[in-house]
Amino acid sequence: GDMEKAKVLLRKQSAIAAPLSLLIYTLIKDKKEFLKFSILYFTPLLAVFIFANLQTGGLFYLHVIKYMRELSPLFPERLPAVYQNFIKSYSIIIVFILFGLVIFRKYLLFFIYFFINFLLISIHSKPGGNINLLIEPFLSAIILGGCSFIYIVNENKKPKHINIFLLLLTMQMFMAVPFDIYKDLIRYPLAPSTQDEAITINFYIKSINGPILSEDLGALVINNKPIY
């Protein structure tokens, strides 16, 4: 509902990428639509925020904004590694996007969406930032990369060129799949490395006797441990 939208907007800033893209797009294309969309989007969020803040005596603001901002600062020193990892993993898609800049006007909304998501990758540098924060940037790259790929194929209809493009897409698939974590499965039951957190947690939960208090109840269930 609107309450959940308000919490998402205030706590997980990357969730604003899609509506912000639409706001910018409508501002460029149709200012009347921009005004209408702004009112329809922000009015319920503001109303929910004010209502929740009044009902909790200001605690909603403290927990959702003040404390979250203090507990989850950006770490600029992590930004190069975060962006390097994204660009390295999806470099071929990004190349397709660059070659497809000639279709910028036709797919303006998708370009805006990808650009905003690319900027919001910086949120991944926060404490606790996980791969889930990269899902939307990746999907926006896939959408725009697909549009660019179709354009490039239509402009270069020679079978030889198309085969090269398909080979590049196959290479991209192998670049994006985290094959490096599967070596932990081979090393099991030895203690796995820390490259895959889920495998590491499951190993220790399965290996330890006695009660275990875990924030992730699913980890207890799949390892046949009682839930407390």
Side-chain angles (χ1 to χ4, degrees):
D2 288 330
M3 177 68 78
E4 292 303 315
K5 291 178 184 177
K7 289 194 293 185
V8 165
L9 173 66
L10 297 166
R11 296 184 61 184
K12 188 179 179 184
Q13 294 81 13
S14 60
I16 201 175
L20 182 58
S21 301
L22 285 172
L23 282 169
I24 295 174
Y25 180 77
T26 53
L27 178 62
I28 295 171
K29 292 292 186 178
D30 189 336
K31 290 183 173 56
K32 289 184 179 179
E33 285 297 317
F34 166 75
L35 181 60
K36 185 191 301 183
F37 183 77
S38 299
I39 294 172
L40 291 175
Y41 183 71
F42 287 110
T43 300
L45 294 179
L46 184 61
V48 168
F49 176 78
I50 293 173
F51 175 78
N53 211 42
L54 290 174
Q55 290 296 309
T56 59
L59 291 178
F60 185 80
Y61 164 78
L62 289 177
H63 285 276
V64 174
I65 297 182
K66 187 175 188 298
Y67 296 157
M68 287 301 297
R69 184 173 64 241
E70 294 175 355
L71 294 174
S72 300
L74 289 175
F75 283 90
E77 63 273 14
R78 292 183 57 187
L79 288 178
V82 170
Y83 277 100
Q84 180 184 7
N85 180 59
F86 181 82
I87 293 172
K88 181 175 66 176
S89 299
Y90 309 114
S91 55
I92 294 178
I93 291 178
I94 293 174
V95 169
F96 278 130
I97 291 174
L98 293 176
F99 274 102
L101 285 176
V102 291
I103 58 173
F104 181 85
R105 290 182 179 274
K106 185 177 181 180
Y107 297 105
L108 178 60
L109 177 58
F110 295 146
F111 274 98
I112 295 172
Y113 184 48
F114 171 72
F115 181 72
I116 291 174
N117 271 296
F118 188 77
L119 293 178
L120 289 174
I121 290 174
S122 59
I123 296 175
H124 191 265
S125 70
K126 285 187 173 186
N130 209 332
I131 192 68
N132 65 304
L133 295 177
L134 296 179
I135 293 175
E136 198 168 3
F138 169 64
L139 292 178
S140 66
I142 288 289
I143 293 171
L144 189 54
C147 294
S148 300
F149 178 77
I150 292 172
Y151 167 78
I152 294 171
V153 169
N154 288 335
E155 291 296 312
N156 300 270
K157 295 183 179 180
K158 295 180 180 179
K160 181 176 68 175
H161 292 165
I162 294 177
N163 290 336
I164 293 174
F165 297 146
L166 291 175
L167 178 61
L168 288 173
L169 284 181
T170 304
M171 290 173 58
Q172 174 63 82
M173 180 187 71
F174 280 93
M175 290 168 63
V177 174
F179 289 106
D180 58 307
I181 69 172
Y182 295 109
K183 66 178 183 295
D184 288 327
L185 297 176
I186 300 175
R187 296 176 66 244
Y188 194 85
L190 300 176
S193 71
T194 57
Q195 289 186 348
D196 186 80
E197 185 179 354
I199 293 177
T200 306
I201 292 174
N202 286 331
F203 169 79
Y204 287 112
I205 287 178
K206 185 177 293 185
S207 304
I208 294 174
N209 295 321
I212 299 174
L213 185 63
S214 173
E215 180 183 8
D216 186 354
L217 301 181
L220 298 177
V221 173
I222 64 176
N223 288 290
N224 296 316
K225 296 289 185 180
I227 299 175
Y228 296 93

